[in-house]
Amino acid sequence: MELTETQRQELAEAEAQRHETRRPVSPGLEAMLFRPLPLLDHGFIRVVDYMGDDTAVVQAARVSYGRGTKAANEDRGLIRYLMRHRHSTPFEMCEIKYHVKLPIFVARQWIRHRMSNVNEYSARYSILDREFYLPAPEQLAAQSAVNRQGRGSVLQGDEAARVLDLLREDATRNYDHYLDMLNEDAEGRVIDEGRRGLARELARMNLTLNAYTQWYWKTDLHNLLNFLSLRADAHAQYEIRVYAEAMLDTVRAWVPLTYEAFRDYRQGAVTLSAQMLATVRGMLDGRDPQQEGSGLSKREWRELMTVLGREA
């Protein structure tokens, strides 16, 4: 991912500004401001602004006047309690705003999380860049035989090369037709003075879903963690997962105590149904429960055995 000279200049000017503040700041996240983190082939994510830190969570939970308990271990214990028992409102006191550049098909998957404020680049007003997401060869996989929404084995050789050629050819052709319908080049200059161009809001319908868009995305910490618990998971689609993993890095820098609790109680934990718990208790009592009679479906049984590190 390469920024244009104009973009680099804008970021340099923003980074050079200094503002005195009396509110709490996060030194780790301050160091990441104005730093686009490159993702995929042309995408990025960067932190634009934020409000609050770990102490804001503690302060809200205790409804205290100051920065909360001075003993760091007490703050850590409270945050872990809040995370463990899913008390959400104290985490809603922190907010963060990102600038994200991402393929349109990833954006459409992302926007299903209806818990944020979003302002997207408008193709009704501006011309989209000639940039398309082309997967790395190791991400070109066939449809999974067991997961209807997942990938299976990686395509090889001529088959993979053909897919990449088709993706590149379709995206390039459609973008050329997009500019032709607009009768404008990428800089907005008229191509043919002898004809009128199609309105931008109509011409954009021809673009492929691997074209890049951009948006500002603002959310609170509670909803961000819900988003990350799904999209930073190994089962999430690769293209959105890389964005979620980069956002996890920003959370670790921003609210390290909350990140630690999230890692332990959400990412590294599992939820057991009543039937699963009964099965585990049976194992602890020395019995040998079987899937038949457990009340678990074959899929649930397989998932439980995987969690326990046993053969299904």
Side-chain angles (χ1 to χ4, degrees):
M1 184 277 300
E2 292 188 7
L3 299 178
T4 66
E5 183 57 38
T6 300
Q7 289 171 328
R8 283 194 291 268
Q9 184 176 347
E10 288 176 352
L11 285 176
E13 291 173 354
E15 188 172 9
Q17 296 178 12
R18 291 292 182 269
H19 304 281
E20 183 179 353
T21 180
R22 298 177 67 181
R23 65 178 178 83
V25 296
S26 169
L29 198 56
E30 287 286 321
M32 299 182 77
L33 294 177
F34 314 107
R35 298 279 195 275
L37 305 174
L39 299 165
L40 302 181
D41 47 1
H42 300 292
F44 65 76
I45 192 166
R46 71 180 180 92
V47 178
V48 177
D49 199 4
Y50 69 97
M51 179 186 75
D53 59 2
D54 279 323
T55 62
V57 177
V58 171
Q59 182 180 349
R62 295 191 173 115
V63 198
S64 64
Y65 293 98
R67 288 182 56 86
T69 303
K70 295 184 182 297
N73 63 319
E74 292 188 29
D75 287 354
R76 177 178 179 271
L78 175 56
I79 286 174
R80 292 177 69 82
Y81 175 88
L82 296 171
M83 185 70 68
R84 187 164 65 250
H85 293 279
R86 295 185 176 271
H87 291 284
S88 59
T89 49
F91 298 106
E92 293 174 0
M93 300 299 144
C94 297
E95 292 193 345
I96 191 166
K97 179 165 60 178
Y98 295 99
H99 177 195
V100 189
K101 183 177 181 182
L102 68 173
I104 291 173
F105 75 91
V106 177
R108 297 303 160 254
Q109 187 179 45
W110 189 316
I111 205 67
R112 290 177 60 83
H113 297 268
R114 296 166 302 201
M115 40 51 163
S116 59
N117 306 110
V118 185
N119 198 60
E120 186 174 1
Y121 185 95
S122 175
R124 295 185 68 192
Y125 180 79
S126 303
I127 299 175
L128 289 175
D129 294 331
R130 184 190 286 269
E131 291 181 327
F132 326 107
Y133 169 63
L134 296 177
E138 62 271 18
Q139 297 304 328
L140 290 173
Q143 178 65 42
S144 170
V146 296
N147 184 351
R148 293 182 180 180
Q149 60 176 5
R151 304 178 189 184
S153 58
V154 176
L155 301 180
Q156 303 292 334
D158 292 342
E159 191 174 14
R162 180 175 181 275
V163 169
L164 278 175
D165 287 343
L166 288 174
L167 288 171
R168 186 180 297 106
E169 177 186 334
D170 288 351
T172 302
R173 181 192 64 239
N174 282 27
Y175 189 85
D176 288 343
H177 289 171
Y178 166 66
L179 293 183
D180 185 62
M181 286 187 289
L182 289 173
N183 195 28
E184 296 179 80
D185 62 18
E187 283 70 44
R189 295 184 293 259
V190 175
I191 297 173
D192 182 353
E193 296 286 353
R195 65 182 177 89
R196 292 185 298 172
L198 184 67
R200 292 177 181 178
E201 66 179 24
L202 291 171
R204 62 181 173 168
M205 75 174 81
N206 197 48
L207 293 167
T208 51
L209 290 178
N210 63 338
Y212 273 85
T213 185
Q214 299 184 45
W215 62 29
Y216 270 43
W217 190 79
K218 180 175 72 71
T219 191
D220 63 62
L221 179 57
H222 166 64
N223 282 304
L224 175 60
L225 295 179
N226 285 342
F227 173 84
L228 295 177
S229 67
L230 293 172
R231 298 306 184 179
D233 184 84
H235 298 93
Q237 182 173 343
Y238 166 77
E239 283 78 12
I240 196 170
R241 191 170 74 244
V242 296
Y243 284 89
E245 289 171 347
M247 294 164 81
L248 267 178
D249 289 338
T250 67
V251 171
R252 181 169 56 233
W254 175 27
V255 281
L257 295 180
T258 299
Y259 169 80
E260 178 194 42
F262 173 73
R263 183 193 62 201
D264 292 345
Y265 295 119
R266 298 286 290 278
Q267 279 196 307
V270 295
T271 299
L272 299 183
S273 67
Q275 294 86 348
M276 288 178 171
L277 185 57
T279 299
V280 173
R281 284 173 172 162
M283 293 176 176
L284 292 175
D285 288 340
R287 298 193 296 272
D288 185 22
Q290 299 299 311
Q291 187 262 317
E292 297 81 4
S294 69
L296 300 173
S297 68
K298 290 182 179 179
R299 182 171 184 173
E300 288 175 310
W301 182 267
R302 187 167 56 248
E303 290 174 354
L304 176 60
M305 293 303 107
T306 299
V307 166
L308 298 177
R310 296 193 173 197
E311 295 273 340

Short mmCIF file of all heavy atoms in Angstrom, two decimals, residues 123-147:
data_model
loop_
_atom_site.label_atom_id
_atom_site.label_comp_id
_atom_site.label_asym_id
_atom_site.label_seq_id
_atom_site.Cartn_x
_atom_site.Cartn_y
_atom_site.Cartn_z
N ALA A 123 -18.90 7.74 -4.16
CA ALA A 123 -18.69 7.64 -5.60
C ALA A 123 -19.76 8.41 -6.37
O ALA A 123 -19.72 8.45 -7.60
CB ALA A 123 -18.68 6.17 -6.04
N ARG A 124 -20.72 9.00 -5.66
CA ARG A 124 -21.65 9.93 -6.31
C ARG A 124 -20.98 11.28 -6.53
O ARG A 124 -21.38 12.05 -7.41
CB ARG A 124 -22.90 10.15 -5.44
CG ARG A 124 -23.76 8.93 -5.24
CD ARG A 124 -25.02 9.30 -4.47
NE ARG A 124 -25.90 10.15 -5.24
CZ ARG A 124 -26.95 10.80 -4.74
NH1 ARG A 124 -27.22 10.70 -3.44
NH2 ARG A 124 -27.71 11.54 -5.51
N TYR A 125 -19.97 11.54 -5.69
CA TYR A 125 -19.31 12.85 -5.71
C TYR A 125 -17.92 12.79 -6.34
O TYR A 125 -17.51 13.70 -7.04
CB TYR A 125 -19.22 13.37 -4.28
CG TYR A 125 -18.55 14.72 -4.15
CD1 TYR A 125 -19.25 15.89 -4.44
CD2 TYR A 125 -17.23 14.84 -3.72
CE1 TYR A 125 -18.64 17.13 -4.32
CE2 TYR A 125 -16.62 16.08 -3.61
CZ TYR A 125 -17.32 17.22 -3.91
OH TYR A 125 -16.73 18.44 -3.80
N SER A 126 -17.20 11.71 -6.07
CA SER A 126 -15.81 11.59 -6.52
C SER A 126 -15.62 10.34 -7.37
O SER A 126 -16.46 9.42 -7.37
CB SER A 126 -14.87 11.53 -5.31
OG SER A 126 -15.04 12.67 -4.49
N ILE A 127 -14.50 10.28 -8.06
CA ILE A 127 -14.16 9.13 -8.89
C ILE A 127 -13.29 8.18 -8.09
O ILE A 127 -12.29 8.60 -7.48
CB ILE A 127 -13.42 9.57 -10.17
CG1 ILE A 127 -14.33 10.50 -11.00
CG2 ILE A 127 -13.00 8.37 -11.00
CD1 ILE A 127 -13.65 11.09 -12.22
N LEU A 128 -13.66 6.91 -8.05
CA LEU A 128 -12.88 5.93 -7.32
C LEU A 128 -11.53 5.70 -7.99
O LEU A 128 -11.39 5.84 -9.21
CB LEU A 128 -13.64 4.60 -7.25
CG LEU A 128 -14.87 4.58 -6.33
CD1 LEU A 128 -15.60 3.25 -6.46
CD2 LEU A 128 -14.48 4.82 -4.89
N ASP A 129 -10.54 5.34 -7.18
CA ASP A 129 -9.21 5.08 -7.70
C ASP A 129 -9.17 3.77 -8.49
O ASP A 129 -9.98 2.86 -8.28
CB ASP A 129 -8.20 4.97 -6.54
CG ASP A 129 -8.03 6.28 -5.80
OD1 ASP A 129 -8.21 7.34 -6.43
OD2 ASP A 129 -7.74 6.25 -4.59
N ARG A 130 -8.21 3.67 -9.39
CA ARG A 130 -8.00 2.45 -10.14
C ARG A 130 -7.17 1.48 -9.28
O ARG A 130 -5.97 1.26 -9.50
CB ARG A 130 -7.27 2.72 -11.46
CG ARG A 130 -7.11 1.49 -12.36
CD ARG A 130 -6.18 1.76 -13.52
NE ARG A 130 -6.82 2.59 -14.52
CZ ARG A 130 -7.52 2.13 -15.56
NH1 ARG A 130 -7.65 0.83 -15.73
NH2 ARG A 130 -8.06 2.96 -16.43
N GLU A 131 -7.80 0.93 -8.28
CA GLU A 131 -7.15 -0.01 -7.37
C GLU A 131 -8.11 -1.15 -7.07
O GLU A 131 -9.26 -0.92 -6.70
CB GLU A 131 -6.73 0.68 -6.07
CG GLU A 131 -5.60 1.68 -6.26
CD GLU A 131 -5.18 2.35 -4.97
OE1 GLU A 131 -6.06 2.56 -4.11
OE2 GLU A 131 -3.99 2.68 -4.82
N PHE A 132 -7.62 -2.37 -7.21
CA PHE A 132 -8.44 -3.56 -7.01
C PHE A 132 -7.68 -4.55 -6.15
O PHE A 132 -6.46 -4.66 -6.24
CB PHE A 132 -8.78 -4.23 -8.35
CG PHE A 132 -8.96 -3.27 -9.49
CD1 PHE A 132 -8.00 -3.16 -10.48
CD2 PHE A 132 -10.08 -2.46 -9.57
CE1 PHE A 132 -8.14 -2.27 -11.52
CE2 PHE A 132 -10.24 -1.57 -10.60
CZ PHE A 132 -9.27 -1.47 -11.59
N TYR A 133 -8.44 -5.26 -5.33
CA TYR A 133 -7.84 -6.31 -4.52
C TYR A 133 -7.66 -7.57 -5.36
O TYR A 133 -8.63 -8.10 -5.91
CB TYR A 133 -8.70 -6.62 -3.30
CG TYR A 133 -8.28 -7.87 -2.57
CD1 TYR A 133 -7.01 -7.95 -1.98
CD2 TYR A 133 -9.12 -8.97 -2.47
CE1 TYR A 133 -6.62 -9.10 -1.32
CE2 TYR A 133 -8.73 -10.11 -1.80
CZ TYR A 133 -7.47 -10.17 -1.23
OH TYR A 133 -7.06 -11.31 -0.58
N LEU A 134 -6.43 -8.03 -5.45
CA LEU A 134 -6.12 -9.30 -6.09
C LEU A 134 -5.49 -10.20 -5.04
O LEU A 134 -4.43 -9.87 -4.50
CB LEU A 134 -5.16 -9.11 -7.27
CG LEU A 134 -5.72 -8.29 -8.44
CD1 LEU A 134 -4.65 -8.11 -9.51
CD2 LEU A 134 -6.95 -8.96 -9.03
N PRO A 135 -6.12 -11.32 -4.70
CA PRO A 135 -5.61 -12.17 -3.62
C PRO A 135 -4.21 -12.69 -3.91
O PRO A 135 -3.83 -12.92 -5.06
CB PRO A 135 -6.62 -13.33 -3.57
CG PRO A 135 -7.84 -12.80 -4.26
CD PRO A 135 -7.34 -11.85 -5.30
N ALA A 136 -3.45 -12.86 -2.84
CA ALA A 136 -2.17 -13.56 -2.97
C ALA A 136 -2.46 -15.01 -3.35
O ALA A 136 -3.51 -15.55 -3.00
CB ALA A 136 -1.41 -13.48 -1.66
N PRO A 137 -1.53 -15.67 -4.07
CA PRO A 137 -1.78 -17.04 -4.53
C PRO A 137 -2.21 -17.99 -3.42
O PRO A 137 -3.07 -18.85 -3.62
CB PRO A 137 -0.43 -17.45 -5.15
CG PRO A 137 0.17 -16.17 -5.60
CD PRO A 137 -0.25 -15.14 -4.60
N GLU A 138 -1.64 -17.80 -2.22
CA GLU A 138 -1.99 -18.72 -1.13
C GLU A 138 -3.40 -18.50 -0.59
O GLU A 138 -3.91 -19.30 0.21
CB GLU A 138 -1.00 -18.59 0.02
CG GLU A 138 -0.93 -17.24 0.68
CD GLU A 138 0.08 -16.30 0.04
OE1 GLU A 138 0.47 -16.55 -1.12
OE2 GLU A 138 0.47 -15.32 0.70
N GLN A 139 -4.08 -17.43 -1.04
CA GLN A 139 -5.45 -17.18 -0.61
C GLN A 139 -6.47 -17.60 -1.66
O GLN A 139 -7.68 -17.46 -1.44
CB GLN A 139 -5.64 -15.68 -0.30
CG GLN A 139 -4.79 -15.18 0.84
CD GLN A 139 -5.03 -15.96 2.13
OE1 GLN A 139 -6.13 -16.43 2.38
NE2 GLN A 139 -3.98 -16.10 2.94
N LEU A 140 -6.02 -18.14 -2.77
CA LEU A 140 -6.93 -18.63 -3.81
C LEU A 140 -7.28 -20.07 -3.50
O LEU A 140 -6.52 -20.99 -3.78
CB LEU A 140 -6.27 -18.52 -5.19
CG LEU A 140 -6.06 -17.11 -5.73
CD1 LEU A 140 -5.25 -17.15 -7.01
CD2 LEU A 140 -7.41 -16.43 -5.97
N ALA A 141 -8.43 -20.27 -2.92
CA ALA A 141 -8.82 -21.61 -2.48
C ALA A 141 -10.17 -21.98 -3.07
O ALA A 141 -11.00 -21.12 -3.40
CB ALA A 141 -8.89 -21.67 -0.95
N ALA A 142 -10.39 -23.27 -3.20
CA ALA A 142 -11.67 -23.79 -3.67
C ALA A 142 -12.71 -23.71 -2.56
O ALA A 142 -12.37 -23.48 -1.40
CB ALA A 142 -11.50 -25.25 -4.13
N GLN A 143 -13.97 -23.90 -2.92
CA GLN A 143 -15.04 -23.94 -1.92
C GLN A 143 -14.83 -25.13 -0.99
O GLN A 143 -14.51 -26.23 -1.43
CB GLN A 143 -16.40 -24.05 -2.61
CG GLN A 143 -17.58 -24.14 -1.67
CD GLN A 143 -17.76 -22.87 -0.84
OE1 GLN A 143 -17.63 -21.76 -1.35
NE2 GLN A 143 -18.05 -23.04 0.44
N SER A 144 -15.03 -24.90 0.30
CA SER A 144 -14.91 -25.99 1.27
C SER A 144 -16.01 -27.02 1.06
O SER A 144 -17.16 -26.67 0.76
CB SER A 144 -14.99 -25.43 2.70
OG SER A 144 -15.11 -26.47 3.64
N ALA A 145 -15.67 -28.27 1.21
CA ALA A 145 -16.65 -29.34 1.06
C ALA A 145 -17.51 -29.49 2.30
O ALA A 145 -18.58 -30.12 2.25
CB ALA A 145 -15.93 -30.65 0.75
N VAL A 146 -17.08 -28.94 3.45
CA VAL A 146 -17.82 -29.13 4.70
C VAL A 146 -18.37 -27.82 5.27
O VAL A 146 -19.21 -27.83 6.16
CB VAL A 146 -16.92 -29.80 5.77
CG1 VAL A 146 -16.55 -31.20 5.33
CG2 VAL A 146 -15.68 -28.97 6.06
N ASN A 147 -17.89 -26.68 4.77
CA ASN A 147 -18.33 -25.37 5.26
C ASN A 147 -18.87 -24.56 4.09
O ASN A 147 -18.12 -24.18 3.19
CB ASN A 147 -17.16 -24.64 5.93
CG ASN A 147 -17.58 -23.31 6.53
OD1 ASN A 147 -18.69 -22.85 6.34
ND2 ASN A 147 -16.68 -22.69 7.28
#
